Amino acid sequence: MATATGEILKLVRKGIDVRGVHAHTRKPFRLYLCGDPGLVAEMRSLLLSGHDESVPADAAACLETIVPGVAQLTLTREAQAVLFLGKRGDAAGADFRALLALNLPVFAITVDECAQPSGPAAPPAAGTFGEYTVTDLSKEALRGRVFPQLIERCKGVEIAVGRRLPVLRETVAAKLTRDAANNALKVALASAVVDHIPVFGLILGAFASAGDMVAITGIQMMLLLHVEATYGKDPDVQRLWQLLPVVGGGFGWRMLARELSGFIPVAGIAIKGAIAYAGTIVVGEGVTFYYEHGRHMSAGQATTIYENTKKDALEFARDIVTRITKR
């Protein structure tokens, strides 16, 4: 087993793209702030908080205060979203036409300490706006819907956003973890489908081969690098060994998944996918916990996250399998 594990890790290491991670950390982005001057200043201060020393110039440059209707000097191709900040009633009386003309998602955030927090179920699309109500401009108040949906609209530059704006790091890490888990689920389901329905192999080919162990481990190792980079660490393959207790758990679950898949007919497809998804969630949340708290999460905490996530993922995977087998 030790020899097999070592060989797999060697293959995984060959596929780790450290240069690609470096490139992600340097991607340019910009968030526009507008509305009530006091609230704009408060939001800017919050977004730039958390740096170990002084605020880096490249972080401060990512936030630009604008006045709707006034021509902007910054190229909007780097912009990801507009944050409009106001007190009770400000959004209702605002003219958003100039902001919508930027063809960016507009987050209209009302700060009202007496109101019930609220917001749309999905982030606004480009050229539209979504209305949010929060009790105050704090990480705790914004992490409910504003921050997660803002990061959803920063697709492709999430790592750069987290690296430069520390208050968003936990939210960015959560999105990176979900994305990696979805990719692991796809690999596991594809491989399991081939195991049970061979004809699918003609369509899916090498993507669903026995190399799923390498593929899923690679996804998890890249997730570790991405979360590390989000937390301001330069990508370093050698440092991954420090986090192997997290990856080791995921590796064991994938072995269990292969065994279960072999004994349970079609139902095993869903089980294998759920375990790959849940194991990857634990890897991402484990490394995030490490950088948030300076220590590994306990075995009990990891098990709880794994079991809860596996249950939800199993329902999702079964739905996918049902749709596949009905075709």
Side-chain angles (χ1 to χ4, degrees):
M1 175 64 71
T3 302
T5 301
E7 290 303 315
I8 289 175
L9 290 177
K10 285 181 182 179
L11 290 173
V12 169
R13 186 168 181 173
K14 291 180 180 179
I16 292 177
D17 183 9
V18 174
R19 290 185 179 180
V21 179
H22 271 295
H24 276 288
T25 66
R26 297 190 297 269
K27 284 190 174 182
F29 72 92
R30 191 169 298 269
L31 300 176
Y32 289 147
L33 307 178
C34 66
D36 182 275
L39 294 177
V40 167
E42 191 176 347
M43 177 62 91
R44 172 182 285 273
S45 177
L46 174 67
L47 291 174
L48 293 175
S49 64
H51 288 283
D52 294 334
E53 300 177 357
S54 60
V55 176
D58 64 341
C62 295
L63 305 177
E64 182 174 347
T65 301
I66 64 173
V67 179
V70 177
Q72 303 305 316
L73 298 177
T74 305
L75 295 176
T76 57
R77 62 184 177 81
E78 295 181 0
Q80 303 299 316
V82 178
L83 303 183
F84 174 89
L85 298 141
K87 299 175 182 177
R88 184 192 303 176
D90 288 354
D95 184 356
F96 287 105
R97 287 177 296 181
L99 295 178
L100 298 179
L102 296 173
N103 197 34
L104 296 170
V106 177
F107 290 73
I109 305 169
T110 296
V111 181
D112 185 350
E113 62 179 8
C114 298
Q116 184 71 22
S118 63
T128 68
F129 71 92
E131 296 187 75
Y132 302 79
T133 300
V134 296
T135 55
D136 62 282
L137 292 180
S138 65
K139 180 179 178 180
E140 291 69 27
L142 295 167
R143 72 196 306 175
R145 291 197 177 182
V146 176
F147 279 175
Q149 293 189 9
L150 176 61
I151 297 305
E152 286 293 331
R153 287 293 172 255
C154 292
K155 186 175 178 61
V157 296
E158 303 98 328
I159 295 174
V161 171
R163 194 176 180 90
R164 296 173 198 169
L165 305 178
V167 73
L168 291 171
R169 286 175 178 172
E170 192 172 4
T171 304
V172 169
K175 181 182 184 298
L176 294 173
T177 298
R178 289 194 306 273
D179 291 346
N182 283 328
N183 288 335
L185 173 66
K186 293 173 185 176
V187 170
L189 286 180
S191 177
V193 166
V194 168
D195 290 342
H196 292 287
I197 312 175
V199 70
F200 273 72
L202 299 176
I203 302 172
L204 298 174
F207 175 72
S209 69
D212 65 330
M213 291 278 287
V214 174
I216 295 174
T217 302
I219 288 171
Q220 294 184 353
M221 297 290 267
M222 285 300 296
L223 174 59
L224 289 174
L225 287 178
H226 285 160
V227 174
E228 277 201 315
T230 297
Y231 277 85
K233 303 293 184 182
D234 290 330
D236 183 0
V237 175
Q238 295 300 321
R239 194 169 54 244
L240 286 181
W241 308 125
Q242 182 182 12
L243 300 171
L244 275 182
V246 176
V247 182
F251 198 88
W253 291 317
R254 284 193 305 281
M255 290 297 293
L256 176 60
R258 292 179 74 85
E259 293 178 15
L260 289 174
S261 179
F263 284 102
I264 303 174
V266 176
I269 300 174
I271 291 174
K272 185 174 183 179
I275 291 176
Y277 182 94
T280 305
I281 289 290
V282 172
V283 169
E285 292 199 14
V287 70
T288 300
F289 185 94
Y290 177 81
Y291 281 111
E292 286 287 327
H293 302 282
R295 59 183 174 83
H296 291 297
M297 66 169 59
S298 68
Q301 289 172 309
T303 299
T304 298
I305 293 173
Y306 172 72
E307 291 297 338
N308 291 340
T309 306
K310 185 180 72 173
K311 181 179 179 182
D312 294 337
L314 185 56
E315 294 179 4
F316 176 69
R318 281 174 174 162
D319 180 61
I320 292 178
V321 172
T322 299
R323 284 182 291 178
I324 290 175
T325 54
K326 283 184 178 180
R327 292 179 180 178

